[in-house]
Amino acid sequence: MEDSPSIETVYEAIYALYNQNTNPTEKQQASNWLNEMQKSVYAWKIADELLARKVDLNSCYLAAQTMRSKLQNSFHELPQDSHASLRDALLNHLSKLDDTTDGVIATQLCVALAHLALQMGSWKNAAVDIASRYNSLKTCFILELLTVLPEEVNSRTLRLGANRRSEIYTEFSDNLPAVNQLLEMCLTSEANDERIKIRSYKCFASWLNIRSVSLSQVWHSNVLSNAFNVLCSFDGSNMVQEAAADAVIAFLQNLEDNNNQDEIQIEILNSVSRLEQAYMMSVTNEDLDRTVNYCRIFTELAESLVMTMINKSLGSNGLPHFSIKALDSVILCANHHDYEVLLITFNLWFRLSEELYKINNVVLTEMFKPYFEQLIGALYKHCMIDTDHEGLLDEGTEDFADFRMKCSDLIKDVVFIVSSSAVFQQMYMLLQTASVSNVTWDQMEAALFIMQAIARNILPHENEVVPKVVEAILNMPETVHINMRYTSVMLLGELCEWISHEQHSETLEPILNYLQYCLRQPNLAAVTAKSLHSICTTCRHHMVKHLSGLIEILKVVDMLNLPNDVAIGLLKGVAVIVAEVPEEHVYKAIKEICGRQLSPLLALVESTSEKTVPETNTSTDPIYWLDRLSAILRHLATKTNNEKDPCVVAIVEMWPSMSKICTRYKTDSRITEHFCRCLRFMIRLVSRSTTALLAPVAQQMAYLYKEHHHSCYLYIGSILVDEYGSKYDNPLVMTQCHSLLLEMIDAFIEPAFRLFSEKDGLRNYPDTVDDFFRLACRFIQKLPMPFLQSPVLEVIIRCSITAVSLDHKEANASVMKFLLDLLLCGKSRKDSINNEECRQYVTSIVNSIGEQLVDNLIQASVFSLQTYMLPDVIDVLIELMAYDKVQTLRWLNGAVEKLPKQNSAGLVTATNEQCLQFLNSFHSYENDGELCRSLREFSRYFR
């Protein structure tokens, strides 16, 4: 937008966008024009004028949103001398808002003003300034402003920099008393206004959430005591109570950072314990919302004290620290009748058990054991299915079924504290009493469910309880509830390791007979197939004699209406067993199980036209069969070693059919991706025995990629390089393989780089970047010298230097891996002649591109990459220094010198001392982690 549009033009565009009678084309044009206007430098003045005129809701909303967006993304457009006038204008707009103003407009303006305050270094003590405007701004807007101010400190888009953030945190810590005083005044003077109460508690929580305050600063705050009073009371609205709970929780979250103040901790523990009475009242009144809030508080307190109760109990001569009492309130909640309350506590138990596992102290484990025993007791009760429930629990749609799965995961994590055998024995005792006491089916089913969660932890030689449980399952009467039988089948699958033990091999046949019976029942087919998969995989040696029976099951598997992922599980189990059968039966078995997937695929190829759209997740979808075939090929772990091996012969014979499928679906990226996954397992399976697949696959992938830019073709290329790049001792075979592979990447280069050269091409095609540089990595790893001598290498290196700034996890990791492998390839070869030759090539490359590479790496680290991606940058810099440390340090100095020393607001990004400290870290460091920390801290000065 070259010239500033008139305000009337802006109003016309707004009207066209929001008017219901405008046709869609004009709406889109108006939207596009307004987007361009918002990006222009004129948007500041236009937004200010729209807010001043207050013509209608839509124009005010657009103006407020524009102002917020500009301050968030385009603050650099404003000259420094205009900051104060913009602040005054925004405060003036806020002062004119009233109760009739749309809340979204007020929020956008508050966020905009917060962004200005955070970026405007000359506006000192902005929070105090805002709090002092109690008489000129409405209380609700002051509270919202003070709420969003600390919330926006860590906004990535503002790029405040570590120095500015540090300055802000110090300022916030100093400003907290003034903010707290304002909140106390609001709660006192407007005690009956629930909206003000809620906003006050939210504001208090927001300031605590930045973790820049100490406990002593806020523990005696009247705001906090007011929140506790609200929570102790049985009156008031649930919304106020929830806001008060959020405020208390925000305070408790600071405990972990201030865990060395026993006196305050005792006071806090006592204050929270006093809420137990209010909790019990909420249970009596069946007020679930309040119950949940109390549970959140009890759980947060316990989680904040986890390390305190562990560490201080360790050094207390076997006596528990007082903080362990925080778990009493949590256990109280665990026994609530609604499982949603118990669910809130799960993260605490996971964390506590993880810490106990890491420490592995018997005395400490015994100290916490009673709490976990009570927890498992509560889980058992909550896992009971309603006795009136008809049919199976639906794992896909029922929340309760999802809750039970989470219970199962939790039990698996914590059971080591109370002993798997003890829990299994306890559940078995309950099953035993079923025949002599009034134990209902739901109680028995819950016991079996707990058993299946820990079945894999049972020692294989256990011979007292498990045989009796297995016998009871196999002899269940026909009339047993369907959920009982379902869970029993699950349990048998989880007992697979126990069944595989030589001592219990006699149980395998009756168990298989029982599972075959269950497989024919529609409600049980899916879970039975999963259990069969587990048993086939674990008991593969014992299952060989049952292979023919399993293949017979596969023949009717599609009549059982199994979900495809379950049928795939069954196929995996059968494929694993094929690897164990005698060699003379392998060919027939593979042809049988693979042919059952290939035949329908080929039928689809012949019967459907290119315009036919397959129905997802049905047998009309090629992916349905490709995924089955992939599962088989992946798990056919046969020990192939020559071209005449029956497995190799069977797989190579499949290629003409696979080629036909690939060509037929070349225009469909979804099907092609699944096809390439299947082809990958096929290549991996036979590559060590034959090169028969290399030429046809490489040539077809190269040809199809020129026509259709599916990045999975590149991925197959990397598989071919990995498998055929350096596997054969015969020099002639290796030369032929290398020649084919180099021809393949040469064919890939032109279409791939045509995509990269588009505007934002690297950003728009991250999958292609990822797969292409994985391919390049494999070339360096498997055939370094031919690749270093290849004319395609230079253009790949130049592209990688540009791509280091790509903010995409997988794509960037592949680019960095390519650069790292390139630098390493001259160091890791066993052949000394090749090693020296590689080093000479790489040294020449480093001298040519080193300065630009270092410059781009530093720029990317500071302005583009996520902090978790920085270790890859350090790996590359370390290897550059291994080639020439002095030169690399010189390049680093130059790269840091080019970085801006001030941001758009005139605030210092990184001082000369901080830059020097960063550079000095490269002169002497003990390990890679030290350099990573240094780069991470340095990058924060600019973020």
Side-chain angles (χ1 to χ4, degrees):
M1 193 167 283
E2 296 180 2
D3 299 315
S4 177
S6 68
I7 198 71
E8 286 73 22
T9 306
V10 177
Y11 276 120
E12 287 174 10
I14 293 171
Y15 179 79
L17 178 63
Y18 291 105
N19 184 13
Q20 297 296 324
N21 298 322
T22 307
N23 70 55
T25 303
E26 289 180 0
K27 275 183 181 290
Q28 189 58 52
Q29 289 174 346
S31 177
N32 294 339
W33 188 88
L34 287 169
N35 283 334
E36 288 302 311
M37 182 277 293
Q38 288 181 310
K39 294 175 185 175
S40 74
V41 73
Y42 309 112
W44 299 100
K45 184 179 179 182
I46 292 169
D48 184 50
E49 190 168 347
L50 291 174
L51 287 168
R53 289 193 180 192
K54 294 177 67 174
V55 171
D56 57 27
L57 179 66
N58 291 331
S59 63
C60 288
Y61 172 76
L62 182 85
Q65 189 267 340
T66 300
M67 195 65 81
R68 193 269 307 156
S69 177
K70 294 297 284 185
L71 277 161
Q72 185 177 41
N73 303 304
S74 308
F75 188 63
H76 60 275
E77 293 178 354
L78 291 174
Q80 290 184 40
D81 57 8
S82 67
H83 294 171
S85 59
L86 177 60
R87 175 195 61 195
D88 295 339
L90 286 172
L91 285 168
N92 182 50
H93 291 312
L94 266 177
S95 69
K96 294 177 180 177
L97 303 184
D98 53 35
D99 291 337
T100 64
T101 304
D102 187 273
V104 176
I105 295 173
T107 298
Q108 294 278 359
L109 283 177
C110 287
V111 173
L113 195 54
H115 286 172
L116 177 60
L118 294 171
Q119 295 177 95
M120 183 177 163
S122 58
W123 190 3
K124 302 298 182 184
N125 299 309
V128 175
D129 186 13
I130 293 167
S132 69
R133 296 174 183 266
Y134 186 73
N135 295 319
S136 60
L137 292 176
K138 285 188 69 65
T139 306
C140 58
F141 299 140
I142 290 179
L143 292 175
E144 181 148 13
L145 253 175
L146 291 173
T147 301
V148 298
L149 191 60
E151 287 176 348
E152 296 298 317
V153 174
N154 290 309
S155 170
R156 282 189 61 214
T157 53
L158 291 186
R159 304 194 74 90
L160 296 172
N163 287 323
R164 173 60 178 159
R165 282 196 176 88
S166 178
E167 181 183 318
I168 290 169
Y169 284 135
T170 302
E171 197 172 276
F172 279 178
S173 186
D174 294 338
N175 292 171
L176 182 60
V179 174
N180 186 66
Q181 186 178 3
L182 172 70
L183 296 177
E184 289 176 351
M185 184 171 65
C186 291
L187 289 170
T188 303
S189 62
E190 304 186 52
N192 297 321
D193 190 329
E194 288 194 348
R195 189 174 62 158
I196 295 300
K197 272 190 173 183
I198 292 169
R199 287 179 182 266
S200 296
Y201 293 141
K202 283 186 176 179
C203 182
F204 187 71
S206 178
W207 277 74
L208 292 182
N209 284 334
I210 60 173
R211 306 287 183 93
S212 66
V213 297
S214 65
L215 288 181
S216 54
Q217 269 185 296
V218 287
W219 174 233
H220 297 295
S221 162
N222 288 335
V223 180
L224 190 61
S225 60
N226 190 293
F228 269 108
N229 290 338
V230 166
L231 291 164
C232 287
S233 170
F234 307 133
D235 302 322
S237 75
N238 282 5
M239 291 179 65
V240 172
Q241 207 244 15
E242 183 177 357
D246 290 340
V248 170
I249 287 168
F251 169 74
L252 294 175
Q253 286 170 343
N254 282 269
L255 264 178
E256 195 155 8
D257 301 327
N258 300 268
N259 58 10
N260 58 350
Q261 302 180 46
D262 281 3
E263 289 184 10
I264 292 181
Q265 284 183 4
I266 292 172
E267 292 179 21
I268 294 168
L269 195 60
N270 291 336
S271 295
V272 172
S273 297
R274 282 195 288 272
L275 297 178
E276 288 183 8
Q277 184 181 356
Y279 165 82
M280 296 306 295
M281 182 59 71
S282 72
V283 175
T284 303
N285 294 337
E286 297 185 356
D287 191 338
L288 186 60
D289 289 340
R290 289 184 181 242
T291 300
V292 164
N293 287 330
Y294 292 122
C295 183
R296 287 167 56 220
I297 292 169
F298 297 153
T299 305
E300 192 60 56
L301 173 64
E303 195 162 354
S304 297
L305 294 172
V306 161
M307 295 314 299
T308 301
M309 61 178 75
I310 287 176
N311 293 334
K312 295 199 173 180
S313 294
L314 269 174
S316 60
N317 298 321
L319 296 174
H321 186 252
F322 68 80
S323 57
I324 203 171
K325 290 185 178 296
L327 295 175
D328 292 336
S329 302
V330 182
I331 286 294
L332 185 66
C333 297
N335 287 301
H336 188 272
H337 61 83
D338 194 310
Y339 69 84
E340 289 184 13
V341 178
L342 171 60
L343 197 56
I344 294 168
T345 71
F346 273 27
N347 194 59
L348 162 67
W349 301 114
F350 275 122
R351 186 180 170 199
L352 181 55
S353 65
E354 183 182 358
E355 296 298 337
L356 291 173
Y357 182 79
K358 285 193 291 189
I359 293 172
N360 192 23
N361 181 284
V362 176
V363 174
L364 200 59
T365 301
E366 284 296 315
M367 200 179 292
F368 286 91
K369 185 176 179 180
Y371 290 103
F372 284 94
E373 288 175 336
Q374 292 179 74
L375 171 65
I376 289 178
L379 292 171
Y380 162 70
K381 291 175 185 175
H382 280 285
C383 283
M384 291 180 193
I385 302 170
D386 191 332
T387 51
D388 295 331
H389 191 283
E390 294 182 5
L392 285 174
L393 289 177
D394 188 342
E395 293 183 15
T397 59
E398 290 194 34
D399 291 340
F400 181 60
D402 180 60
F403 166 75
R404 293 207 338 154
M405 288 298 104
K406 290 176 180 175
C407 285
S408 182
D409 292 339
L410 180 58
I411 291 167
K412 288 172 185 175
D413 257 42
V414 308
V415 75
F416 75 93
I417 297 169
V418 296
S419 161
S420 299
S421 57
V423 174
F424 208 89
Q425 177 78 29
Q426 181 186 352
M427 295 298 122
Y428 172 68
M429 293 299 292
L430 190 143
L431 290 175
Q432 268 196 317
T433 59
S435 57
V436 295
S437 63
N438 193 26
V439 176
T440 54
W441 73 263
D442 60 314
Q443 293 171 305
M444 291 190 288
E445 191 278 337
L448 290 170
F449 185 78
I450 301 296
M451 284 180 171
Q452 68 81 30
I454 59 173
R456 290 189 188 244
N457 292 2
I458 299 299
L459 295 174
H461 54 72
E462 202 284 333
N463 212 23
E464 292 182 15
V465 177
V466 179
K468 295 173 184 175
V469 172
V470 171
E471 185 182 358
I473 291 172
L474 299 181
N475 292 310
M476 277 184 177
E478 289 283 340
T479 56
V480 75
H481 195 283
I482 188 66
N483 280 293
M484 277 278 287
R485 198 175 294 280
Y486 183 94
T487 304
S488 300
V489 172
M490 279 178 65
L491 175 54
L492 290 176
E494 292 300 301
L495 283 170
C496 56
E497 291 182 18
W498 181 88
I499 296 168
S500 70
H501 195 270
E502 290 292 339
Q503 197 174 344
H504 312 121
S505 57
E506 75 283 352
T507 64
L508 181 58
E509 190 162 348
I511 287 173
L512 288 176
N513 291 336
Y514 177 78
L515 292 177
Q516 284 186 3
Y517 161 75
C518 294
L519 197 61
R520 292 192 292 272
Q521 300 185 40
N523 287 340
L524 300 174
V527 70
T528 305
K530 288 180 182 177
S531 291
L532 275 171
H533 170 224
S534 297
I535 292 172
C536 288
T537 304
T538 312
C539 311
R540 63 184 72 180
H541 301 299
H542 303 302
M543 289 292 292
V544 171
K545 60 183 179 182
H546 301 287
L547 179 60
S548 58
L550 289 169
I551 289 178
E552 289 301 313
I553 291 174
L554 293 182
K555 290 179 182 178
V556 298
V557 73
D558 292 313
M559 301 176 192
L560 298 174
N561 252 352
L562 295 178
N564 202 35
D565 60 329
V566 176
I568 286 171
L570 198 54
L571 288 166
K572 287 177 186 176
V574 175
V576 167
I577 298 168
V578 169
E580 304 295 328
V581 303
E583 188 174 318
E584 60 270 22
H585 301 301
V586 169
Y587 179 84
K588 181 181 177 183
I590 292 176
K591 294 291 281 186
E592 173 72 31
I593 61 174
C594 290
R596 292 199 166 275
Q597 324 311 320
L598 265 179
S599 296
L601 268 170
L602 292 171
L604 287 173
V605 168
E606 298 295 335
S607 65
T608 57
S609 69
E610 291 197 12
K611 294 182 180 179
T612 304
V613 179
E615 187 179 344
T616 307
N617 295 327
T618 69
S619 57
T620 64
D621 187 354
I623 289 174
Y624 183 88
W625 304 104
L626 284 169
D627 286 352
R628 290 185 174 197
L629 190 56
S630 293
I632 295 168
L633 295 171
R634 184 176 188 177
H635 291 83
L636 276 175
T638 57
K639 303 174 181 64
T640 58
N641 51 30
N642 62 73
E643 291 186 348
K644 296 181 180 179
D645 187 289
C647 175
V648 175
V649 173
I651 298 303
V652 171
E653 286 178 0
M654 288 169 54
W655 169 246
S657 298
M658 295 292 283
S659 176
K660 189 182 293 187
I661 294 163
C662 181
T663 302
R664 166 63 185 79
Y665 295 109
K666 62 187 179 181
T667 58
D668 191 313
S669 60
R670 186 178 70 98
I671 296 174
T672 298
E673 191 170 322
H674 285 259
F675 171 84
C676 287
R677 180 171 175 268
C678 185
L679 182 57
R680 158 196 165 195
F681 296 125
M682 187 175 172
I683 295 167
R684 296 265 195 218
L685 187 59
V686 301
S687 63
R688 58 181 173 269
S689 306
T690 179
T691 60
L693 292 181
L694 173 57
V697 173
Q699 288 162 6
Q700 185 157 358
M701 294 300 105
Y703 170 76
L704 289 174
Y705 188 68
K706 284 184 178 180
E707 194 176 347
H708 304 280
H709 300 152
H710 301 314
S711 71
C712 50
Y713 294 145
L714 300 174
Y715 178 67
I716 289 299
S718 70
I719 299 298
L720 291 173
V721 177
D722 192 40
E723 293 298 317
Y724 295 103
S726 60
K727 194 161 280 188
Y728 299 96
D729 296 328
N730 187 321
L732 180 60
V733 173
M734 284 307 303
T735 301
Q736 291 171 342
C737 288
H738 289 178
S739 176
L740 284 166
L741 294 170
L742 288 167
E743 286 175 15
M744 178 186 69
I745 194 172
D746 191 49
F748 283 150
I749 284 281
E750 192 275 329
F753 278 68
R754 199 185 322 133
L755 294 179
F756 297 160
S757 62
E758 293 178 7
K759 183 182 179 182
D760 294 327
L762 293 170
R763 184 176 296 277
N764 293 336
Y765 302 102
D767 291 341
T768 302
V769 175
D770 181 22
D771 287 324
F772 183 85
F773 280 98
R774 281 193 192 191
L775 172 63
C777 284
R778 293 291 168 82
F779 269 98
I780 292 173
Q781 293 164 0
K782 298 296 180 177
L783 48 154
M785 275 310 302
F787 191 55
L788 288 171
Q789 295 168 337
S790 169
V792 303
L793 181 61
E794 183 179 354
V795 67
I796 295 174
I797 291 173
R798 292 291 172 189
C799 179
S800 70
I801 294 173
T802 304
V804 294
S805 62
L806 186 59
D807 185 12
H808 183 280
K809 183 180 179 181
E810 289 78 15
N812 188 274
S814 294
V815 172
M816 293 298 188
K817 186 72 167 61
F818 164 74
L819 289 166
L820 184 63
D821 286 350
L822 178 65
L823 295 170
L824 287 169
C825 75
K827 303 167 79 176
S828 57
R829 308 300 296 174
K830 294 179 181 177
D831 186 329
S832 60
I833 298 174
N834 276 349
N835 185 54
E836 182 55 35
E837 198 173 354
C838 280
R839 185 171 181 84
Q840 289 175 6
Y841 271 97
V842 176
T843 301
S844 173
I845 291 168
V846 169
N847 291 335
S848 171
I849 56 97
E851 184 173 8
Q852 187 185 355
L853 175 58
V854 171
D855 195 33
N856 284 20
L857 286 172
I858 295 301
Q859 290 279 335
S861 300
V862 166
F863 296 116
S864 304
L865 304 183
Q866 304 284 343
T867 51
Y868 68 81
M869 302 162 84
L870 298 184
D872 292 341
V873 174
I874 290 300
D875 289 341
V876 173
L877 290 174
I878 286 174
E879 287 309 317
L880 280 171
M881 288 195 291
Y883 277 89
D884 191 335
K885 186 172 183 177
V886 174
Q887 185 72 288
T888 303
L889 291 174
R890 190 178 300 122
W891 291 332
L892 270 170
N893 273 286
V896 170
E897 188 62 34
K898 292 175 186 176
L899 295 173
K901 298 302 183 289
Q902 287 187 337
N903 64 18
S904 56
L907 299 170
V908 173
T909 49
T911 64
N912 290 332
E913 291 77 15
Q914 288 166 338
C915 291
L916 188 60
Q917 184 180 6
F918 168 66
L919 291 169
N920 285 340
S921 65
F922 283 84
H923 287 269
S924 56
Y925 61 93
E926 294 183 2
N927 52 60
D928 299 0
E930 191 178 312
L931 278 185
C932 284
R933 284 190 295 275
S934 179
L935 179 57
R936 193 176 295 119
E937 289 170 8
F938 184 70
S939 69
R940 285 179 182 144
Y941 295 132
F942 301 87
R943 293 175 183 263

